[in-house]
Amino acid sequence: MDGKPRTSPKSVKFLFGGLAGMGATVFVQPLDLVKNRMQLSGEGAKTREYKTSFHALTSILKAEGLKGIYTGLSAGLLRQATYTTTRLGIYTVLFERLTGADGTPPGFLLKALIGMTAGATGAFVGTPAEVALIRMTADGRLPADQRRGYKNVFNALVRIAREEGVPTLWRGCIPTMARAVVVNAAQLASYSQSKQFLLDSGYFSDNILCHFCASMISGLVTTAASMPVDIVKTRIQNMRMIDGKPEYKNGLDVLLKVVRYEGFFSLWKGFTPYYARLGPHTVLTFIFLEQMNKAYKRLFLSG
C-alpha cells in the first residue's frame, strides 16, 4: 500500500452521484412529463389523448404553457437526490472495491450484479419522490375538479401521507425496484462495457466524446429493456381507488390489461420521449459525474 486511499470517501461518491443526476434532470424534466402523459394516455381502453410525442408536447404547451412542461421539477430533483445519490454512490464504491489490485475491472456479469444491487437499493429510497413525480406530472391531464393540486414535492409527500397513509408513499415499490434492477443492470453495466469497448478500439480516449457515445448506447439498451416495467410503475403509482377498490390489483394485472385493451406494443408507449429523456439524462449524468470525479482527484488526491 502506498498510503493513498483506493477510493475517495463514500459520502463524496454519494454526493457526486446525486448532484450529477439533479443537474441532468433540469434539462430533461419536460421529456419525463411527456413520457408519463404518453404512458397514461388511452388508459382503460379510452381514446388516446396523444397521437405522438410531438403532439403531446404541443398539446401540453398549448394547454398549460411553458411552465406546465416543468410541472413536477421539484419531485424530479428530490428523486435524483435520493435515488441517484444512492445508486451511483453504491455502484461507484462497489466497482472500485471489486477492481483487481492490478487495475483489472470487474467482468460484465459482476458489473450487472453491482448495477442491480445499487438500483434496487436506490429505488426503495427514492419511491416516495417517484410517487409524487408521477402524480404531479399526470395532474394537468385531468379535469380541474379531479386534480390533486400538489404545490411542490414536499406538499405532495405530506398530503399523501395524511390523506392516504404513509404506506402509500411506497405504492408501486416492487415495480419501481424491478424497473431499477433492469435499468441499472442495463444502463450502468452497458455504459461501463461500452466505454471499455470504445477505449479498447483505439479510436477514443477517455474524454467527453467517449462518455457521450457510451451513454447513448447505454440509453438505447436501457430503454428497450425497461419500458414494460416502467409503464406498470407509472400506472400503479397514479391509480385511484374506484368504489373502494384499486384500479389495478398488481403489476401483472397492469400488464394484462394494457395488452388486452391497448395492444402488445402499448407496453412501449412513450418510447421516443423515454429514450429522448433517458439518452440525454444518461449522457449528462455520466458527463457530470466523470468531470466531478476528475476534479476531485485533481484537487484532493493528487500529489
Side-chain angles (χ1 to χ4, degrees):
M1 296 290 289
D2 58 5
K4 286 186 181 181
R6 267 187 74 183
T7 64
S8 51
K10 293 179 178 61
S11 59
V12 173
K13 294 293 184 184
F14 278 49
L15 179 63
F16 281 1
L19 288 174
M22 290 171 78
T25 293
V26 172
F27 293 94
V28 302
Q29 177 66 21
L31 294 167
D32 208 18
L33 182 137
V34 171
K35 185 269 294 182
N36 289 341
R37 295 283 182 91
M38 291 284 288
Q39 288 184 327
L40 294 167
S41 174
E43 187 174 17
K46 296 174 187 171
T47 305
R48 287 193 183 191
E49 298 158 71
Y50 310 115
K51 297 171 186 174
T52 64
S53 304
F54 182 72
H55 178 229
L57 182 60
T58 54
S59 298
I60 293 164
L61 279 170
K62 188 183 295 183
E64 301 168 50
L66 193 60
K67 186 181 177 183
I69 64 170
Y70 269 94
T71 300
L73 177 61
S74 61
L77 292 173
L78 183 62
R79 178 179 65 174
Q80 296 302 324
T82 51
Y83 168 62
T84 304
T85 299
T86 305
R87 78 179 179 104
L88 282 179
I90 289 175
Y91 183 84
T92 304
V93 170
L94 288 178
F95 187 89
E96 290 187 1
R97 291 284 184 190
L98 295 171
T99 295
D102 59 352
T104 306
F108 181 80
L109 290 177
L110 191 51
K111 283 177 190 169
L113 183 60
I114 294 171
M116 289 187 281
T117 302
T121 308
F124 181 80
V125 174
T127 295
E130 191 87 45
V131 171
L133 176 66
I134 294 298
R135 292 183 174 199
M136 290 175 77
T137 54
D139 226 24
R141 63 188 279 274
L142 299 170
D145 62 329
Q146 293 180 28
R147 292 178 187 173
R148 293 178 168 111
Y150 301 133
K151 296 174 184 175
N152 54 56
V153 65
F154 300 109
N155 176 249
L157 295 175
V158 169
R159 278 187 52 195
I160 291 167
R162 188 173 64 233
E163 296 167 13
E164 302 172 57
V166 173
T168 306
L169 293 171
W170 274 270
R171 176 180 287 171
C173 183
I174 299 301
T176 302
M177 292 175 73
R179 172 191 172 276
V181 167
V182 174
V183 165
N184 285 279
Q187 186 186 63
L188 293 169
S190 62
Y191 174 80
S192 296
Q193 202 71 12
S194 300
K195 181 182 169 186
Q196 215 169 297
F197 173 78
L198 293 172
L199 291 173
D200 290 346
S201 72
Y203 294 106
F204 292 85
S205 55
D206 192 358
N207 55 25
I208 286 183
L209 177 62
C210 176
H211 305 158
F212 175 83
C213 292
S215 297
M216 291 305 289
I217 295 168
S218 173
L220 187 62
V221 171
T222 305
T223 300
S226 64
M227 280 219 72
V229 190
D230 191 68
I231 197 170
V232 169
K233 178 191 74 65
T234 299
R235 295 278 178 98
I236 285 180
Q237 290 176 333
N238 189 60
M239 72 178 177
R240 291 177 180 271
M241 303 296 282
I242 300 173
D243 296 326
K245 295 180 181 179
E247 290 179 68
Y248 303 105
K249 297 172 187 173
N250 50 47
L252 180 61
D253 188 39
V254 177
L255 289 173
L256 292 174
K257 284 182 177 175
V258 169
V259 172
R260 183 185 304 145
Y261 297 119
E262 302 168 49
F264 178 73
F265 289 104
S266 289
L267 293 174
W268 284 269
K269 191 187 290 181
F271 185 95
T272 303
Y274 190 98
Y275 179 62
R277 173 201 172 278
L278 190 66
H281 192 275
T282 306
V283 170
L284 290 166
T285 298
F286 281 115
I287 286 175
F288 287 151
L289 186 62
E290 296 272 9
Q291 296 309 307
M292 283 190 280
N293 277 334
K294 282 185 176 181
Y296 180 84
K297 286 173 183 174
R298 185 175 68 251
L299 292 171
F300 299 105
L301 300 182
S302 59

